[in-house]
Amino acid sequence: MTSDSGLPRWRFRLAGKWFSIELHDDAARRRSIKELVEEQVGKAEENATLRALMRRRVETGAVAARDAQAQGMFIATEVSPGLAMPVTLTVYAPSDLHMSPAVGTAPETVISMLEKSFVTLGMEGNDTATRLSLGQAEVLRLHRYASPPPDEHAPETVRNLIVDYWCTVPGSKRVVLANFFTPLSDITNVMLEYFDGVVRASYFEAEAQAAAQAAVV
């Protein structure tokens, strides 16, 4: 997906059970979050407090993503039947996320300039930089860890794994960002392999083609 009409959209094939969280319509966002939470904890009255807590957390994340110009947010509960794996994928495509006019549109050139800028800026996770290729696009992967603020309802400290995939948009100086977030930081290598697989299975398509692929996230 991209935010500019006419540019190819970055599309993902998401296997397993994923919920799409609406970002730009308040009522639709609340409905999508309610569906996710009820799927996870059920509708029993004794779980009302837990449901409210989960809705609040997802709502906070969704609003923050919307305010940061995210184009899509997807939350996984299972990657295959019976295999739970909590993962959030947020895709960003703001119109100002592009290289300078002096840079050409060759994917290798665009991603190389982006990587150099991250070194200059001291971007967090820059020391983990890894390249991937999608054929028509180049990807730069960075990962880092972060702990959430203390929560009286969840006193245990959790270290989250955050993985950013910066991807060139074919035929342009633009880059888009896929951000993966999971609390499963104790199996970082496994999660990186999984996220790499999701990104390698992604592709770009024209806007008209995207409209005809409603079953593909």
Side-chain angles (χ1 to χ4, degrees):
M1 21 173 91
T2 71
S3 59
D4 289 353
S5 177
L7 288 177
R9 293 187 177 189
W10 196 11
R11 311 291 279 182
F12 292 84
R13 299 178 174 95
L14 299 175
K17 183 177 291 186
W18 290 77
F19 288 82
S20 176
I21 304 300
E22 170 61 43
L23 296 180
H24 304 289
D25 180 279
D26 291 343
R29 182 174 63 254
R30 287 191 291 269
R31 287 194 299 270
S32 63
I33 292 173
K34 181 175 183 288
E35 179 184 358
L36 166 65
V37 171
E38 290 183 351
E39 165 72 21
Q40 287 295 94
V41 301
K43 300 180 181 180
E45 182 62 29
E46 60 265 28
N47 292 326
T49 300
L50 177 58
R51 286 197 300 273
L53 175 63
M54 289 184 65
R55 286 196 301 267
R56 186 164 62 251
R57 287 179 174 175
V58 179
E59 173 76 10
T60 298
V63 170
R66 179 203 63 193
D67 292 346
Q69 300 184 59
Q71 301 300 303
M73 184 177 186
F74 312 94
I75 298 179
T77 57
E78 292 182 349
V79 293
S80 63
L83 179 58
M85 186 178 287
V87 173
T88 299
L89 165 61
T90 309
V91 183
Y92 299 87
S95 58
D96 60 351
L97 197 58
H98 58 78
M99 295 298 99
S100 69
V103 176
T105 60
E108 177 64 31
T109 302
V110 173
I111 207 68
S112 293
M113 290 300 298
L114 181 67
E115 185 171 11
K116 289 177 182 177
S117 71
F118 284 170
V119 172
T120 300
L121 294 171
M123 177 73 78
E124 185 177 5
N126 185 63
D127 57 331
T128 70
T130 301
R131 294 277 195 96
L132 292 80
S133 179
L134 301 184
Q136 59 180 326
E138 293 295 315
V139 179
L140 182 67
R141 185 193 77 199
L142 307 180
H143 73 271
R144 62 192 188 280
Y145 303 96
S147 296
D151 189 325
E152 61 178 333
H153 299 286
E156 294 185 6
T157 301
V158 176
R159 188 178 72 152
N160 297 309
L161 171 65
I162 303 169
V163 188
D164 291 331
Y165 290 84
W166 300 86
C167 185
T168 61
V169 177
S172 77
K173 307 174 192 296
R174 291 283 305 281
V175 292
V176 287
L177 169 64
N179 170 271
F180 289 88
F181 177 96
T182 180
L184 302 177
S185 60
D186 55 337
I187 53 171
T188 291
N189 289 339
V190 173
M191 298 311 300
L192 290 177
E193 288 183 9
Y194 172 68
F195 296 152
D196 283 358
V198 171
V199 171
R200 286 194 173 101
S202 69
Y203 60 100
F204 283 87
E205 65 180 1
E207 186 174 1
Q209 292 174 308
Q213 296 290 330
V216 180
V217 175

